[in-house]
């Protein structure tokens, strides 16, 4: 199982669009997926047409110890389950302020769920607060969506330092695995320049011991596509709303790339375990 946290503390860069449509593309490809929503805006739930009442339990209740995570895994499409958020989540930061071990509540809750999944995708809010820390502690890897425009890289060093700290103190296996360019406009020179700057940075870090030493930019870029912006108001992923759009094409291509990585990762694990087997 791969646990991928989609994180960028910058708002509106394509985190939720990616969480929803990558999950849906993986599900379409036959993978069992679980999308966990950690943002009070609850846009992922809206996007997938899951409406919960004010009295139904949500991730808010799980994080505050009032519900079991297993009880809020709702099936939303074939092969895809969603654990929804709620506006109440906005208060979690303050409510958990004095709680010991507040960064590992989600990880502990996930360990109690006995359903089998191939992928867990965590949709995070645009901040580096306690919800994002919970995602970083529960995940194996971070997928960083970037919108290649002015100030795209602003705040990136703070994000990288946070991932590094969480890896050092709470989650030793955590890495930044991938950068994904969203709302990509190939017609602008700036987009090309930002992609080039990020690539130069990643290449310069290859031999470092940092958590981003092996990070790759996906070959797939998510182009600007109005259908992706329209789909949430119809409560459907891009595959339900506009299956032949460029947006659907890009997210399918992204899912294939993610699946190829999974094969490489499990091959590497197989090789390592055969090397470590005593004669
Ligand atoms: N490739 C795209 N082409 C066109 N519009 C897009 C694309 N990706 C996302 N959008 C739109 O851009 C807006 C921001 O996207 P999204 O909600 O995914 O960002 P976010 O990073 O999750 O935002 P937040 O930080 O508020 O959670 C949304 O209205 C979404 O529909
Ligand atoms: Mg979002």
């Amino acid at each position: 199982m791969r646990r991928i946290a989609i994180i960028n503390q910058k708002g509106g860069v394509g985190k939720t669009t990616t969480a929803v449509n990558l999950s849906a593309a993986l599900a379409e490809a036959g993978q069992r997926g679980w999308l966990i929503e950690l943002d009070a805006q609850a846009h992922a739930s809206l996007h997938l047409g899951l409406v919960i009442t004010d009295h139904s339990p949500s991730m808010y209740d799980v994080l505050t110890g009032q519900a079991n995570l297993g009880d809020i895994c709702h099936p939303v499409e074939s092969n895809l389950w969603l654990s929804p958020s709620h506006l109440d989540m906005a208060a979690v930061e303050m409510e958990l302020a004095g709680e010991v071990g507040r960064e590992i509540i989600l990880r502990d809750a996930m360990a109690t769920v006995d359903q089998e999944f191939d992928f867990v995708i965590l949709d995070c809010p645009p901040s580096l607060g306690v919800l994002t820390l919970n995602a970083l502690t529960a995940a194996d890897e971070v997928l960083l969506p970037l919108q290649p425009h002015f100030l795209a890289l602003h705040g990136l060093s703070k994000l990288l330092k946070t991932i590094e700290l969480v890896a050092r103190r709470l989650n030793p296996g955590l890495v930044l695995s991938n950068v994904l360019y969203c709302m990509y406009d190939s017609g602008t020179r700036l987009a090309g320049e930002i992609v080039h700057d990020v690539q130069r940075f990643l290449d310069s870090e290859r031999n470092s011991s940092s958590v981003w030493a092996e990070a790759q930019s996906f070959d797939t870029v998510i182009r600007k596509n109005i259908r992706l912006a329209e789909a949430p108001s119809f409560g459907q992923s891009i595959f339900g709303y506009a299956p032949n759009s460029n947006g659907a094409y890009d997210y399918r291509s992204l899912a294939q790339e993610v699946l190829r990585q999974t094969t490489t990762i499990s091959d590497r694990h197989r090789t390592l375990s055969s090397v470590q087997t005593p004669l």
Side-chain angles (χ1 to χ4, degrees), residues 11-12 23 28 48 97 103 167 171 189 200 237:
S23 302
E28 193 189 58
L48 284 166
E103 301 88 358
N171 187 9
R189 209 181 70 196
R200 209 176 42 185
S237 77

Side-chain angles (χ1 to χ4, degrees), residues 79-158:
N79 285 330
L80 182 59
W81 286 259
L82 168 65
S83 295
S85 172
H86 186 272
L87 278 175
D88 287 345
M89 286 273 269
V92 153
E93 205 84 34
M94 263 172 36
E95 287 187 33
L96 295 182
E99 185 97 8
V100 174
R102 60 188 174 278
E103 301 88 358
I104 57 169
I105 300 173
L106 176 62
R107 179 166 76 188
D108 286 354
M110 283 168 68
T112 66
V113 176
D114 50 19
Q115 260 176 285
E116 296 278 324
F117 296 101
D118 299 305
F119 281 90
V120 181
I121 307 273
L122 300 153
D123 182 30
C124 294
S127 75
L128 293 176
V130 76
L131 294 169
T132 298
L133 288 177
N134 266 275
L136 285 170
T137 310
D140 312 308
E141 54 185 294
V142 175
L143 187 164
L144 170 67
L146 285 180
Q147 188 185 357
H149 72 168
F150 185 55
L151 291 181
L153 306 182
H154 186 75
L156 204 58
S157 62
K158 171 96 178 127

Side-chain angles (χ1 to χ4, degrees), residues 261-273:
Q261 287 181 337
T262 305
T263 315
T264 316
I265 292 169
S266 37
D267 282 353
R268 202 182 320 147
H269 283 167
R270 257 198 302 279
T271 313
L272 277 176
S273 50

Side-chain angles (χ1 to χ4, degrees), residues 15-16 39 41 43 123-124 126:
K15 293 181 289 294
T16 302
D39 187 0
Q41 299 177 96
H43 286 165
D123 182 30
C124 294

Side-chain angles (χ1 to χ4, degrees), residues 30-275:
Q31 302 285 308
R32 284 170 66 88
W34 180 17
L35 174 55
I36 301 180
E37 180 174 52
L38 290 168
D39 187 0
Q41 299 177 96
H43 286 165
S45 296
L46 275 174
H47 201 325
L48 284 166
L50 180 71
V51 182
I52 59 164
T53 68
D54 277 349
H55 308 294
S56 319
S58 69
M59 286 305 296
Y60 168 79
D61 301 278
V62 170
L63 294 170
T64 53
Q66 302 171 77
N68 295 321
L69 185 51
D71 295 338
I72 61 156
C73 278
H74 301 278
V76 281
E77 287 186 8
S78 169
N79 285 330
L80 182 59
W81 286 259
L82 168 65
S83 295
S85 172
H86 186 272
L87 278 175
D88 287 345
M89 286 273 269
V92 153
E93 205 84 34
M94 263 172 36
E95 287 187 33
L96 295 182
E99 185 97 8
V100 174
R102 60 188 174 278
E103 301 88 358
I104 57 169
I105 300 173
L106 176 62
R107 179 166 76 188
D108 286 354
M110 283 168 68
T112 66
V113 176
D114 50 19
Q115 260 176 285
E116 296 278 324
F117 296 101
D118 299 305
F119 281 90
V120 181
I121 307 273
L122 300 153
D123 182 30
C124 294
S127 75
L128 293 176
V130 76
L131 294 169
T132 298
L133 288 177
N134 266 275
L136 285 170
T137 310
D140 312 308
E141 54 185 294
V142 175
L143 187 164
L144 170 67
L146 285 180
Q147 188 185 357
H149 72 168
F150 185 55
L151 291 181
L153 306 182
H154 186 75
L156 204 58
S157 62
K158 171 96 178 127
L159 173 60
L160 294 177
K161 271 192 203 127
T162 305
I163 303 174
E164 186 110 71
L165 265 182
V166 172
R168 186 149 18 105
R169 295 188 181 159
L170 297 163
N171 187 9
L174 182 70
V175 293
L176 171 68
S177 55
N178 292 103
V179 174
L180 173 68
Y181 298 105
C182 294
M183 290 179 253
Y184 191 86
D185 188 352
S186 55
T188 68
R189 209 181 70 196
L190 186 60
E193 281 173 8
I194 287 170
V195 171
H196 180 259
D197 285 354
V198 171
Q199 197 53 49
R200 209 176 42 185
F201 168 72
L202 294 179
D203 289 343
S204 71
E205 293 287 305
R206 289 292 169 231
N207 295 320
S208 71
S209 57
S210 65
V211 291
W212 52 87
E214 292 190 25
Q216 304 285 341
S217 300
F218 282 115
D219 292 335
T220 303
V221 297
I222 309 299
R223 291 167 284 180
K224 258 195 189 141
N225 181 241
I226 188 69
R227 299 280 176 248
L228 285 168
E230 290 167 355
S233 48
F234 292 85
Q236 289 180 309
S237 77
I238 193 65
F239 307 105
Y241 175 64
N244 299 316
S245 60
N246 283 344
Y249 178 90
D250 291 345
Y251 277 107
R252 272 197 195 101
S253 160
L254 177 65
Q256 289 309 317
E257 228 182 310
V258 168
L259 286 173
R260 283 197 295 277
Q261 287 181 337
T262 305
T263 315
T264 316
I265 292 169
S266 37
D267 282 353
R268 202 182 320 147
H269 283 167
R270 257 198 302 279
T271 313
L272 277 176
S273 50
S274 70
V275 167

